[in-house]
Amino acid sequence: METKTIDALRTELARDGEVAIGFNRAKQFLRNPAGFLGLRRSSPPAPQVIVNNFGLWAAVDGFPEGGVPWARILEVHITKVNVSSYIDVSIRTPATPDRRRTLRLPHMLTVDPEVLAKWIVMELMERGNPI
């Protein structure tokens, strides 16, 4: 598997207007071993995180259905749990703009969590919302 760099992610966003990130091969195997090995037809892997010019979307419970606009993202940081790294995103919700809510992005993506977190922070800063 090729490791995506921040420059590759930026280029893809500039070219396509969005970057769709799915699960890595290990996670795909854990979710559907028969489909992964070709023993049974499997549906194409769905994106788990989408970064676009509007903002950020993730396939996790509690994440707003249409995604979170850049202006509502307050903070992005890495949380280490044992040997794993998770990306937490703090957002401001429209119903309670004075309170923050933290959501965790899916784990085991095709982009390294530290690279993804740094890139999201860079995109956030470019859009006038320095962390």
Side-chain angles (χ1 to χ4, degrees):
M1 175 183 75
E2 150 190 344
T3 303
K4 287 195 175 187
T5 63
I6 289 175
D7 288 337
L9 293 166
R10 285 183 138 176
T11 300
E12 187 175 338
L13 181 61
R15 183 187 65 227
D16 302 335
E18 103 174 1
V19 176
I21 302 166
F23 284 129
N24 66 21
R25 294 178 63 76
K27 182 71 170 194
Q28 290 174 28
F29 175 75
L30 292 172
R31 291 180 62 134
N32 184 3
F36 183 80
L37 297 172
L39 303 174
R40 184 173 15 140
R41 272 195 103 141
S42 65
S43 57
Q48 298 302 305
V49 173
I50 295 175
V51 179
N52 58 27
N53 294 323
F54 167 78
L56 179 67
W57 174 86
V60 294
D61 289 338
F63 216 89
E65 191 174 317
V68 177
W70 290 110
R72 289 192 13 228
I73 298 173
L74 300 172
E75 184 179 44
V76 177
H77 61 274
I78 296 280
T79 302
K80 297 266 188 183
V81 178
N82 297 326
V83 296
S84 298
S85 296
Y86 296 89
I87 301 172
D88 290 335
V89 179
S90 294
I91 65 169
R92 185 181 320 109
T93 62
T96 55
D98 55 329
R99 297 181 60 198
R100 77 174 38 211
R101 183 170 160 214
T102 301
L103 302 165
R104 182 164 284 174
L105 297 185
H107 186 53
M108 297 179 76
L109 299 171
T110 56
V111 178
D112 179 82
E114 293 187 18
V115 169
L116 182 57
K118 286 177 188 174
W119 176 59
I120 292 171
V121 167
M122 291 168 71
E123 291 297 322
L124 185 60
M125 290 174 69
E126 281 185 17
R127 286 162 170 75
N129 296 311
I131 294 179

